[in-house]
């Protein structure tokens, strides 16, 4: 696996709607937070698949004319986050292929942990790859399977892959949705107002297209969508849930219900738990927007310290192509975040963020708050120290770049120039999401190094 490719993505599938590609487009729009690098949709008109994908935001990649060409009553879509360079258009999804059974398109959220091994085996047998994506392995595994029906080939293929996958497959007449046995990444099933179906990474997509939530695709389950039939379910693997707790901490949108619980409520609970750890006297609680907002609200409600909007976020910066010079090195963060001086000046400030990864964001923010006149800045983090990289689909840097893997709390506090620093501990985090260590329903590897596969 190339180290600079990270799968931090969203998937959607629409089945049984005349404007399938438009609904996929709107769904992707609401899932944009899961990936801003590239977007794509494949649709099927029953005879042929049509695909459009490109770099950039969903709104940039598609327009009315393009969506018109994506005809048919089924569609799959994807937004991609990747840190790869110029070639990332090649790595955009859906992955499309023609093979002996016809045509297929695949969208994938998650990371396959045995991707390199499988790829090398395929290459030894003569396979040619066009991209660095682990998802391309699936195309080959399906094409090479000796089974006659696509559904059996999918079952065959997913038994050869390991790791995290929430997948949606589109053929000319059917759609399939599959989740790995651990259910690392979310995937939910909804009903469209006209009776068709939607599957999506997060339920916020359902709200936008007027769909009603039916249930989650179960870990290890394969759902088959066929014309004029209710979705058929095949249990491919025994479910052993290990949901990614970072979905609750940072990744998912607060208005989504993920793994059966409201993301907003989970984050507020984290803030509430956080307020009990090293409580401190202060004048205001402020969030680092947007990630820290729900937990700062929870912190404020539990502690009684007033919540204020102390940092303004500019939502329109996109990618900054002007690299700041040495003298202007803080320009980038200031373009995105600016202090509300009236709220901060002369105040003892508690600033809440969801996580510290490299520590650079916190350091810049605390400097900014001090420059704006804060008398004290206390950093509070609504998750435990991020000590280990994720191999299951969240974009985290390698261990040597994770500040908490290399410094003590006091050293981090000094580095970010805070007056105090406290993190949520593992027990409190699990309590916030209504779980316990012994229950082990969640993957906490990024905080504990306890990897499942
Ligand atoms: P850092 O400067 O590396 O410490 O970044 C910490 C900030 O990045 C926090 O404000 C988080 O909300 C945010 N963050 C955490 N995880 C991720 C991720 N996987 N991708 C992008 N941003 C993240």
């Amino acid at each position: 696996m190339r180290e600079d490719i990270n799968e931090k993505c969203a998937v959607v599938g629409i089945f049984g709607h005349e404007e399938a590609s438009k609904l996929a487009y709107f769904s992707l729009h609401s899932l944009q937070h899961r990936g801003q690098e590239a977007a794509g949709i494949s649709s099927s008109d029953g005879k042929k698949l049509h695909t459009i994908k490109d770099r950039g935001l969903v709104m940039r990649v598609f327009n009315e004319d393009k969506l018109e060409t994506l005809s048919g009553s089924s569609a799959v879509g994807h937004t991609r986050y990747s840190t790869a360079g110029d070639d990332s258009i090649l790595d955009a999804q859906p992955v499309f292929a023609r093979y002996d059974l016809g045509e297929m398109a695949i969208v994938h959220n998650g990371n396959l942990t045995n991707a390199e091994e499988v790829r090398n085996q395929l290459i030894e047998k003569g396979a040619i790859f066009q991209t660095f994506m682990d998802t391309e392995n699936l195309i080959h595994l399906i094409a090479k399977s000796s089974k006659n029906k696509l559904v059996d080939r999918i079952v065959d293929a997913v038994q050869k892959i390991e790791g995290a996958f929430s997948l949606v497959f589109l053929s000319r007449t059917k759609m399939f949705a599959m989740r790995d046995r651990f259910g690392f990444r979310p995937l939910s099933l909804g009903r469209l107002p006209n009776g068709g179906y939607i599957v999506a990474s997060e339920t916020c997509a359902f709200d936008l297209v007027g769909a009603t939530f039916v249930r989650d695709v179960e870990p290890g389950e394969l759902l088959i969508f066929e014309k004029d039939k209710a979705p058929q379910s095949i249990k491919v693997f025994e479910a052993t849930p290990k949901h990614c707790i970072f979905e609750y901490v940072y990744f998912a949108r607060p208005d989504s219900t993920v793994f059966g619980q409201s993301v907003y409520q989970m984050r507020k609970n984290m803030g509430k738990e956080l307020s009990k750890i090293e409580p401190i006297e202060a004048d205001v609680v402020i969030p680092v927007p947007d990630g820290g907002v729900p937990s700062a609200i929870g912190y404020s409600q539990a502690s009684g310290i007033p919540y204020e909007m102390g940092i303004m976020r500019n939502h329109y910066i996109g990618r900054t192509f002007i690299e700041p010079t040495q003298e202007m090195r803080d320009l980038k963060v200031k373009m995105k975040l600016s202090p509300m001086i009236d709220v901060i000046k002369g105040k003892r400030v508690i600033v809440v963020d969801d996580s510290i990864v490299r520590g650079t964001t916190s350091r810049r923010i605390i400097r900014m708050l001090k420059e704006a006149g804060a008398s004290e800045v206390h950093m509070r983090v609504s998750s435990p120290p991020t000590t280990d990289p994720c191999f299951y689909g969240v974009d985290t840097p390698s261990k040597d770049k994770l500040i908490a893997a290399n410094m003590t709390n006091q050293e981090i506090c000094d580095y970010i120039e805070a007056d105090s620093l406290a993190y949520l501990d593992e027990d409190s985090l699990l309590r916030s999401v209504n779980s316990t260590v012994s229950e082990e329903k969640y993957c906490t590897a990024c905080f504990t190094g306890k990897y499942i596969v």
Side-chain angles (χ1 to χ4, degrees), residues 97-266:
R98 289 198 182 90
Y99 68 123
D100 62 331
L101 298 185
E103 299 183 338
M104 72 177 140
I106 305 181
V107 289
H108 174 203
N109 174 210
N111 252 37
L112 305 183
T113 48
N114 67 340
E116 202 169 322
E117 205 181 307
V118 171
R119 177 167 294 219
N120 289 341
Q121 286 164 6
L122 288 162
I123 289 172
E124 270 167 35
K125 290 185 193 134
I128 298 168
F129 283 85
Q130 294 190 20
T131 76
F132 286 103
M133 278 186 290
D134 51 4
T135 314
E136 205 181 347
N137 291 1
L138 276 167
I139 295 273
H140 287 279
L141 292 171
I142 291 170
K144 281 181 185 298
S145 165
S146 57
K147 300 284 184 344
N148 294 324
K149 287 169 71 187
L150 177 56
V151 58
D152 298 327
R153 290 191 182 197
I154 291 175
V155 171
D156 232 14
V158 296
Q159 276 164 344
K160 297 192 171 77
I161 60 174
E162 278 165 23
F165 49 89
S166 282
L167 293 159
V168 192
F169 302 81
L170 185 67
S171 73
R172 286 171 298 185
T173 56
K174 292 183 191 142
M175 187 175 87
F176 306 84
M178 173 85 218
R179 217 166 150 212
D180 65 70
R181 73 189 77 193
F182 304 105
F184 280 118
R185 309 257 72 88
L187 190 64
S188 299
L189 170 69
R191 196 92 209 243
L192 294 166
N194 77 333
Y197 290 92
I198 175 171
V199 285
S201 293
E202 286 182 41
T203 60
C204 61
F206 296 176
D207 303 333
L208 189 65
V209 299
T212 44
F213 173 79
V214 176
R215 64 178 178 86
D216 282 347
V217 178
E218 295 296 325
E221 182 183 29
L222 173 65
L223 276 182
I224 304 151
F225 298 84
E226 229 175 311
K227 198 167 185 252
D228 302 326
K229 284 190 188 167
Q232 224 187 304
S233 162
I234 298 178
K235 194 197 251 188
V236 181
F237 305 108
E238 200 60 47
T240 43
K242 289 281 179 212
H243 307 308
C244 166
I245 205 150
F246 206 67
E247 290 278 351
Y248 283 143
V249 168
Y250 166 79
F251 209 11
R253 229 170 74 159
D255 58 337
S256 287
T257 298
V258 163
F259 314 136
Q261 304 188 93
S262 149
V263 174
Y264 180 66
Q265 195 53 52
M266 300 304 103

Side-chain angles (χ1 to χ4, degrees), residues 8 81 246 250-251 288-289 291-292 353-365 394-397 401 403:
K8 175 172 161 275
Y81 178 90
F246 206 67
Y250 166 79
F251 209 11
V288 176
D353 202 357
D354 55 80
S355 54
I356 298 181
V357 182
R358 292 179 181 80
T360 40
T361 307
S362 317
R363 183 182 162 102
R364 286 184 181 138
I365 286 169
V394 173
D395 172 36
T396 38
K401 297 197 185 76
I403 192 166

